[in-house]
Amino acid sequence: MAGILDSVDQRTQLVGENRLELLLFKLQRGSLFALNVFKIQEVQTMPKLTSMPHSHPHIVGVTHARGRTIPVIDLGAAIGLGPLEDRTHCNIIISEYNRTVQAFLVKSVDRIVNMNWEEIMPPPKGAGRSHYLTAITKLDGKLVEVIDVEKVLQEVSPYNTRVNPELVDQELVNQAQGIEILAVDDSSVGLSQVKETVQQLGVKLICASDGAMALKMLKSWAEQGIDVSRKLAMVITDAEMPEMDGYRLTREIRDDPRLKDLHVILHTSLSGNFNKAMVEKVGCNGFLSKFEPDKLAITVQERIKDYLQQYSH
């Protein structure tokens, strides 16, 4: 089953071109769900699991792969569809998010599809499972739902958003009151994490749920005659988002003379080494792995110091 995944090199060529590959799978019945292939390490037929006493109810056990013990999460149960009763012919998808490795139990793996982010749309508001989705798309007339893995993992093992008080420069916090930062992320959990962290630093957060929305916002300000580089101390953007990913957003910013001086940080759960290469390719000012509140706080404070120095009279 691991052979369903192409080499990392082949897959990464798509990123930065506003393209992605999705691994399609079923959880129950006929509905199709998807995860970004780039976050997936391996697909296995159902291994023997070892139970974990006192673990979260959605964790059905642990397996051993790649020299480590990996928790296995029943993905259907985690997004409210109910647990898989018959696990005999199921699959697990081993994935890495935010520097943690876990496996998701699914009914069956379908195939991999190559798509453009422009074909990936935000989920409709008010949809039953929409709070567990970051996006939807259609393939051969069928709806495909892209799962918000960050929300699933947050519920199974909550992230810490508290910044170490020793890292907070209180004098800078006082000076930062009213300074604005734009955060761009298709995951409500991702946006909440950034918001809870930067609010401890006194700054005001403006949010956008995808790159296209963020770019429209930026261009609208520029068209009103606003100096956007002065209005915003920085842009913190996720990489993978419906309609326009963070790499394309950065490239569009750099290509617009009115926006090109914006300070842009890529903030993503994707592989660190790969993102460092992409930062250079598209012209980001830096890269941060999700989710490390102390590192985010340090990065934001360093930028605020430079911003204040640049625009103080």
Side-chain angles (χ1 to χ4, degrees), residues 290-302:
K290 290 180 178 177
F291 189 75
E292 300 178 278
D294 286 351
K295 287 187 178 179
L296 178 58
I298 290 167
T299 300
V300 170
Q301 287 181 116
E302 286 174 351

PDB file of all heavy atoms in Angstrom, residues 290-302:
ATOM      1  N   LYS A 290       4.138  25.039  12.585  1.00  0.00           N
ATOM      2  CA  LYS A 290       3.041  25.014  13.547  1.00  0.00           C
ATOM      3  C   LYS A 290       3.312  23.891  14.553  1.00  0.00           C
ATOM      4  O   LYS A 290       3.863  22.869  14.174  1.00  0.00           O
ATOM      5  CB  LYS A 290       1.724  24.723  12.850  1.00  0.00           C
ATOM      6  CG  LYS A 290       1.202  25.849  11.944  1.00  0.00           C
ATOM      7  CD  LYS A 290      -0.109  25.398  11.345  1.00  0.00           C
ATOM      8  CE  LYS A 290      -0.729  26.449  10.473  1.00  0.00           C
ATOM      9  NZ  LYS A 290      -1.970  25.969   9.843  1.00  0.00           N
ATOM     10  N   PHE A 291       2.846  23.906  15.765  1.00  0.00           N
ATOM     11  CA  PHE A 291       2.463  25.144  16.386  1.00  0.00           C
ATOM     12  C   PHE A 291       3.366  25.332  17.588  1.00  0.00           C
ATOM     13  O   PHE A 291       3.298  24.538  18.518  1.00  0.00           O
ATOM     14  CB  PHE A 291       0.974  25.121  16.771  1.00  0.00           C
ATOM     15  CG  PHE A 291       0.541  26.490  17.223  1.00  0.00           C
ATOM     16  CD1 PHE A 291       0.348  27.504  16.311  1.00  0.00           C
ATOM     17  CD2 PHE A 291       0.404  26.770  18.553  1.00  0.00           C
ATOM     18  CE1 PHE A 291       0.000  28.782  16.733  1.00  0.00           C
ATOM     19  CE2 PHE A 291       0.059  28.032  18.968  1.00  0.00           C
ATOM     20  CZ  PHE A 291      -0.147  29.030  18.064  1.00  0.00           C
ATOM     21  N   GLU A 292       4.212  26.363  17.528  1.00  0.00           N
ATOM     22  CA  GLU A 292       5.178  26.633  18.579  1.00  0.00           C
ATOM     23  C   GLU A 292       4.990  28.078  19.042  1.00  0.00           C
ATOM     24  O   GLU A 292       5.581  28.998  18.479  1.00  0.00           O
ATOM     25  CB  GLU A 292       6.595  26.401  18.062  1.00  0.00           C
ATOM     26  CG  GLU A 292       6.827  24.971  17.585  1.00  0.00           C
ATOM     27  CD  GLU A 292       8.220  24.751  17.024  1.00  0.00           C
ATOM     28  OE1 GLU A 292       8.438  25.081  15.846  1.00  0.00           O
ATOM     29  OE2 GLU A 292       9.089  24.270  17.770  1.00  0.00           O
ATOM     30  N   PRO A 293       4.149  28.286  20.065  1.00  0.00           N
ATOM     31  CA  PRO A 293       3.796  29.648  20.467  1.00  0.00           C
ATOM     32  C   PRO A 293       4.994  30.508  20.862  1.00  0.00           C
ATOM     33  O   PRO A 293       5.018  31.702  20.545  1.00  0.00           O
ATOM     34  CB  PRO A 293       2.841  29.444  21.650  1.00  0.00           C
ATOM     35  CG  PRO A 293       2.986  28.022  22.061  1.00  0.00           C
ATOM     36  CD  PRO A 293       3.440  27.271  20.865  1.00  0.00           C
ATOM     37  N   ASP A 294       5.992  29.907  21.508  1.00  0.00           N
ATOM     38  CA  ASP A 294       7.167  30.695  21.903  1.00  0.00           C
ATOM     39  C   ASP A 294       7.923  31.222  20.685  1.00  0.00           C
ATOM     40  O   ASP A 294       8.317  32.390  20.636  1.00  0.00           O
ATOM     41  CB  ASP A 294       8.106  29.865  22.787  1.00  0.00           C
ATOM     42  CG  ASP A 294       7.557  29.672  24.200  1.00  0.00           C
ATOM     43  OD1 ASP A 294       6.546  30.314  24.531  1.00  0.00           O
ATOM     44  OD2 ASP A 294       8.135  28.871  24.964  1.00  0.00           O
ATOM     45  N   LYS A 295       8.121  30.352  19.689  1.00  0.00           N
ATOM     46  CA  LYS A 295       8.841  30.785  18.478  1.00  0.00           C
ATOM     47  C   LYS A 295       8.034  31.822  17.703  1.00  0.00           C
ATOM     48  O   LYS A 295       8.594  32.772  17.145  1.00  0.00           O
ATOM     49  CB  LYS A 295       9.159  29.576  17.594  1.00  0.00           C
ATOM     50  CG  LYS A 295      10.265  28.704  18.159  1.00  0.00           C
ATOM     51  CD  LYS A 295      10.667  27.620  17.172  1.00  0.00           C
ATOM     52  CE  LYS A 295      11.816  26.776  17.746  1.00  0.00           C
ATOM     53  NZ  LYS A 295      12.208  25.697  16.828  1.00  0.00           N
ATOM     54  N   LEU A 296       6.709  31.633  17.663  1.00  0.00           N
ATOM     55  CA  LEU A 296       5.853  32.618  16.999  1.00  0.00           C
ATOM     56  C   LEU A 296       5.952  33.962  17.708  1.00  0.00           C
ATOM     57  O   LEU A 296       6.085  35.015  17.068  1.00  0.00           O
ATOM     58  CB  LEU A 296       4.410  32.119  16.970  1.00  0.00           C
ATOM     59  CG  LEU A 296       3.375  33.057  16.343  1.00  0.00           C
ATOM     60  CD1 LEU A 296       3.722  33.407  14.906  1.00  0.00           C
ATOM     61  CD2 LEU A 296       1.979  32.449  16.424  1.00  0.00           C
ATOM     62  N   ALA A 297       5.918  33.929  19.039  1.00  0.00           N
ATOM     63  CA  ALA A 297       5.995  35.171  19.819  1.00  0.00           C
ATOM     64  C   ALA A 297       7.327  35.882  19.595  1.00  0.00           C
ATOM     65  O   ALA A 297       7.366  37.109  19.436  1.00  0.00           O
ATOM     66  CB  ALA A 297       5.802  34.864  21.301  1.00  0.00           C
ATOM     67  N   ILE A 298       8.407  35.125  19.568  1.00  0.00           N
ATOM     68  CA  ILE A 298       9.732  35.719  19.339  1.00  0.00           C
ATOM     69  C   ILE A 298       9.785  36.366  17.955  1.00  0.00           C
ATOM     70  O   ILE A 298      10.245  37.495  17.788  1.00  0.00           O
ATOM     71  CB  ILE A 298      10.840  34.645  19.478  1.00  0.00           C
ATOM     72  CG1 ILE A 298      10.984  34.224  20.943  1.00  0.00           C
ATOM     73  CG2 ILE A 298      12.175  35.152  18.948  1.00  0.00           C
ATOM     74  CD1 ILE A 298      11.811  32.965  21.150  1.00  0.00           C
ATOM     75  N   THR A 299       9.278  35.652  16.941  1.00  0.00           N
ATOM     76  CA  THR A 299       9.281  36.159  15.563  1.00  0.00           C
ATOM     77  C   THR A 299       8.458  37.437  15.441  1.00  0.00           C
ATOM     78  O   THR A 299       8.880  38.412  14.805  1.00  0.00           O
ATOM     79  CB  THR A 299       8.737  35.085  14.601  1.00  0.00           C
ATOM     80  OG1 THR A 299       9.572  33.927  14.680  1.00  0.00           O
ATOM     81  CG2 THR A 299       8.701  35.582  13.170  1.00  0.00           C
ATOM     82  N   VAL A 300       7.269  37.440  16.049  1.00  0.00           N
ATOM     83  CA  VAL A 300       6.395  38.616  15.977  1.00  0.00           C
ATOM     84  C   VAL A 300       7.042  39.805  16.688  1.00  0.00           C
ATOM     85  O   VAL A 300       7.036  40.937  16.174  1.00  0.00           O
ATOM     86  CB  VAL A 300       5.004  38.303  16.570  1.00  0.00           C
ATOM     87  CG1 VAL A 300       4.178  39.575  16.723  1.00  0.00           C
ATOM     88  CG2 VAL A 300       4.269  37.291  15.695  1.00  0.00           C
ATOM     89  N   GLN A 301       7.633  39.559  17.848  1.00  0.00           N
ATOM     90  CA  GLN A 301       8.258  40.660  18.598  1.00  0.00           C
ATOM     91  C   GLN A 301       9.456  41.248  17.846  1.00  0.00           C
ATOM     92  O   GLN A 301       9.656  42.462  17.818  1.00  0.00           O
ATOM     93  CB  GLN A 301       8.690  40.183  19.993  1.00  0.00           C
ATOM     94  CG  GLN A 301       7.508  39.977  20.932  1.00  0.00           C
ATOM     95  CD  GLN A 301       7.935  39.517  22.314  1.00  0.00           C
ATOM     96  OE1 GLN A 301       7.736  40.206  23.297  1.00  0.00           O
ATOM     97  NE2 GLN A 301       8.538  38.344  22.389  1.00  0.00           N
ATOM     98  N   GLU A 302      10.234  40.384  17.217  1.00  0.00           N
ATOM     99  CA  GLU A 302      11.371  40.876  16.420  1.00  0.00           C
ATOM    100  C   GLU A 302      10.884  41.751  15.281  1.00  0.00           C
ATOM    101  O   GLU A 302      11.463  42.803  14.985  1.00  0.00           O
ATOM    102  CB  GLU A 302      12.191  39.690  15.881  1.00  0.00           C
ATOM    103  CG  GLU A 302      13.029  39.002  16.947  1.00  0.00           C
ATOM    104  CD  GLU A 302      13.710  37.744  16.428  1.00  0.00           C
ATOM    105  OE1 GLU A 302      13.392  37.320  15.293  1.00  0.00           O
ATOM    106  OE2 GLU A 302      14.541  37.179  17.160  1.00  0.00           O
TER     107      GLU A 302
END
